[in-house]
Amino acid sequence: MSANSRMTVAVHVLTWMALVHDRGRDVVTSDQIATSVATNPVVIRRSLADLREAGLVTVRHGAGAGWTLARAAESIALLDVFRAVQDEPLFALHRGEPNQACPIGRGIRPTLRGVYADAEEAVRQEFARVTIADVLRDTLAARSD
């Protein structure tokens, strides 16, 4: 099992766009973003499509085509990004019904359902507290350490 990196890629994309914006440029291409993420521009375009649907970025077509932040980095919480890219719960229960004749099989799903709900709520609260501007600030500070 591997971790889903969609959230990380989306945060990287938005943080890079915020940096570019702070340096006086608004419109960027998926190729430029892909260079920072070190991935294929197709991966970036998929992420940008999710972010656009969530109202976090906008696209400009024609001359000067590219992507821009739809809101200030200070007003984009990681929870906004999470909602844009996470289409399923963080934790999944058994795919099939556990053995109901077993005391663990009978009780594990309701127990884990509550634990997982609490964990997801804690993640949402933390993501609501942190903005893309915070990530940019901390990323640039870490670079100088």
Side-chain angles (χ1 to χ4, degrees):
M1 289 185 249
S2 65
N4 183 334
S5 63
R6 290 175 60 207
M7 176 73 176
T8 299
V9 169
V11 170
H12 188 139
V13 165
L14 293 169
T15 304
W16 189 84
M17 291 175 75
L19 174 66
V20 169
H21 174 79
D22 287 354
R23 292 185 175 170
R25 220 173 83 222
D26 281 328
V27 179
V28 297
T29 67
S30 56
D31 288 338
Q32 292 167 331
I33 299 167
T35 299
S36 177
V37 181
T39 192
N40 190 300
V42 171
V43 173
I44 300 305
R45 285 191 285 276
R46 285 185 195 130
S47 183
L48 287 165
D50 291 337
L51 297 171
R52 182 185 64 208
E53 189 173 311
L56 302 178
V57 298
T58 58
V59 64
R60 183 185 303 171
H61 299 285
W67 297 87
T68 61
L69 291 176
R71 304 190 326 230
E74 295 81 9
S75 71
I76 301 174
L78 293 189
L79 184 58
D80 299 322
V81 183
F82 180 74
R83 288 177 175 150
V85 301
Q86 187 69 28
D87 57 358
E88 54 191 43
L90 291 176
F91 307 102
L93 296 172
H94 303 81
R95 291 194 191 279
E97 184 76 20
N99 180 350
Q100 296 300 292
C102 170
I104 301 303
R106 187 173 47 255
I108 194 83
R109 289 177 100 179
T111 299
L112 289 180
R113 199 173 286 123
V115 170
Y116 292 169
D118 291 347
E120 286 195 32
E121 181 56 29
V123 168
R124 290 177 194 284
Q125 286 178 15
E126 181 64 12
F127 283 173
R129 187 185 68 73
V130 179
T131 68
I132 292 298
D134 296 329
V135 173
L136 175 58
R137 182 196 65 237
D138 293 349
T139 300
L140 293 177
R143 187 184 68 167
S144 63
D145 290 344

